[in-house]
Amino acid sequence: MNVQTETPAVDLAALKARQQATWSSGDYAIVGTTLQIVGEMLCEAVDLRSNQRVLDVAAGNGNATLAAARRFADVVSTDYVGALLERGRERAAAERLPVTFQEADAEKLPFADQSFDVVLSTFGVMFTADHQQAANELRRVCRVGGKIGLACWTPEGFIGQLFKTIGKYVPPAPGAKSPALWGTEAQLETMFGPNMAIDAKRRHFTFRYKSREHFLEIFRTYYGPVLKAFGAIDAAKQQSLAGDMFGLIDKFNSATDGTLVIAGEYLETVITRRS
């Protein structure tokens, strides 16, 4: 007898609230600032021009935002965590870069159809609750002939494996999709459809920390998903999770001098809207 199992229904509203609380915890800007080079590389990948209108979605503390503004584009920076936008606003003010900051949900962007030449997201939109709806919104606000630039961690890379490790201790909500799916070309082709030309390349961001203990301290204190994971389990499991994280670090760490140097793989994708 064949036993059929149904895919569990996803409470997207509850999942979104949970994710927003996660990214509102700690201070992602402490970690996010170290990733600035990814925003710079993404702006180069989309061949960004000074006369273009740019939207940074799930911008966090503004890495892609600042990179685009440094190239004299007209930039709107959005996130659903106001405190992160404030960090981006502080950074833009320090460099005297004119940027518009606006709280907005990546799954319901408050902008007209085809209102941007370039839409960017670095390690942001991949964490939305409804992947397909987020992809639909990115496509909707991008003009025909415009480009969507994405940087998303791959499932096989260090951060993808870190989330897999965390999932052993704090399972994701029933039916929730892995953020790392955004780091696979096949999933992007499924979400964005045949009218989008997709050019994807695997890149590496190099994490550099004083030691594996230093990495754990920073991520446990400031990086929402890790902070929340440790807060959700008892002391014994916390010790076990820390041990598993050290094991993962040791697997990826190329440094031999006691420091941490890890090449974290991500997918850099440029999607051109054809129609």
Side-chain angles (χ1 to χ4, degrees), residues 102-201:
Q102 183 174 342
E103 285 193 40
D105 184 346
E107 296 170 22
K108 193 176 182 180
L109 295 170
F111 306 107
D113 295 357
Q114 301 192 50
S115 52
F116 292 92
D117 301 295
V118 176
V119 181
L120 303 173
S121 188
T122 56
F123 312 125
V125 72
M126 65 182 293
F127 293 102
T128 51
D130 189 335
H131 292 193
Q132 186 60 61
Q133 178 59 25
N136 292 346
E137 283 293 273
L138 297 184
R139 182 175 59 243
R140 180 184 65 79
V141 300
C142 182
R143 69 168 175 82
V144 173
K147 296 177 181 178
I148 299 170
L150 303 173
C152 302
W153 302 116
T154 64
E156 306 85 4
F158 175 64
I159 296 297
Q161 290 299 301
L162 175 60
F163 277 103
K164 185 177 180 180
T165 300
I166 290 172
K168 297 177 183 178
Y169 294 85
V170 184
K177 293 182 178 179
S178 169
L181 287 172
W182 286 77
T184 63
E185 190 170 358
Q187 180 67 11
L188 293 177
E189 289 174 349
T190 297
M191 290 192 299
F192 285 95
N195 293 325
M196 310 290 280
I198 298 176
D199 180 16
K201 295 181 175 64

Side-chain angles (χ1 to χ4, degrees), residues 2-261:
N2 292 328
V3 178
Q4 295 183 343
T5 58
E6 295 183 357
T7 301
V10 184
D11 186 340
L12 292 174
L15 180 57
K16 185 189 296 290
R18 175 178 169 179
Q19 291 176 334
Q20 189 169 13
T22 294
W23 293 108
S24 297
S25 65
D27 187 353
Y28 173 73
I30 299 294
V31 175
T33 300
T34 68
L35 301 166
Q36 179 61 45
I37 193 173
V38 176
E40 304 291 343
M41 292 176 65
L42 188 60
C43 284
E44 291 302 307
V46 300
D47 191 23
L48 192 134
R49 306 299 174 87
S50 60
N51 62 348
Q52 291 180 318
R53 190 162 191 247
V54 178
L55 177 66
D56 190 2
V57 177
N61 62 313
N63 288 340
T65 294
L66 296 180
R70 289 174 184 141
R71 289 158 175 79
F72 306 103
D74 179 9
V75 186
V76 178
S77 184
T78 64
D79 202 287
Y80 67 179
V81 178
L84 289 178
L85 285 182
E86 185 58 32
R87 299 290 81 76
R89 186 178 288 110
E90 291 168 356
R91 297 174 75 195
E95 294 191 39
R96 292 184 283 182
L97 296 172
V99 174
T100 299
F101 291 89
Q102 183 174 342
E103 285 193 40
D105 184 346
E107 296 170 22
K108 193 176 182 180
L109 295 170
F111 306 107
D113 295 357
Q114 301 192 50
S115 52
F116 292 92
D117 301 295
V118 176
V119 181
L120 303 173
S121 188
T122 56
F123 312 125
V125 72
M126 65 182 293
F127 293 102
T128 51
D130 189 335
H131 292 193
Q132 186 60 61
Q133 178 59 25
N136 292 346
E137 283 293 273
L138 297 184
R139 182 175 59 243
R140 180 184 65 79
V141 300
C142 182
R143 69 168 175 82
V144 173
K147 296 177 181 178
I148 299 170
L150 303 173
C152 302
W153 302 116
T154 64
E156 306 85 4
F158 175 64
I159 296 297
Q161 290 299 301
L162 175 60
F163 277 103
K164 185 177 180 180
T165 300
I166 290 172
K168 297 177 183 178
Y169 294 85
V170 184
K177 293 182 178 179
S178 169
L181 287 172
W182 286 77
T184 63
E185 190 170 358
Q187 180 67 11
L188 293 177
E189 289 174 349
T190 297
M191 290 192 299
F192 285 95
N195 293 325
M196 310 290 280
I198 298 176
D199 180 16
K201 295 181 175 64
R202 290 179 181 254
R203 303 288 194 195
H204 291 88
F205 167 78
T206 304
F207 292 91
R208 298 180 186 273
Y209 285 81
K210 297 177 181 179
S211 65
R212 64 180 194 171
E213 290 78 14
H214 181 228
F215 176 91
L216 178 60
E217 176 189 356
I218 294 295
F219 270 64
R220 185 171 177 173
T221 305
Y222 299 111
Y223 190 66
V226 177
L227 183 158
K228 284 289 190 180
F230 275 95
I233 55 181
D234 61 31
K237 289 184 177 179
Q238 288 180 13
Q239 185 174 2
S240 181
L241 174 56
D244 284 352
M245 287 182 62
F246 284 152
L248 182 67
I249 289 169
D250 291 342
K251 177 182 176 181
F252 280 88
N253 191 13
S254 62
T256 58
D257 59 357
T259 66
L260 181 148
V261 179

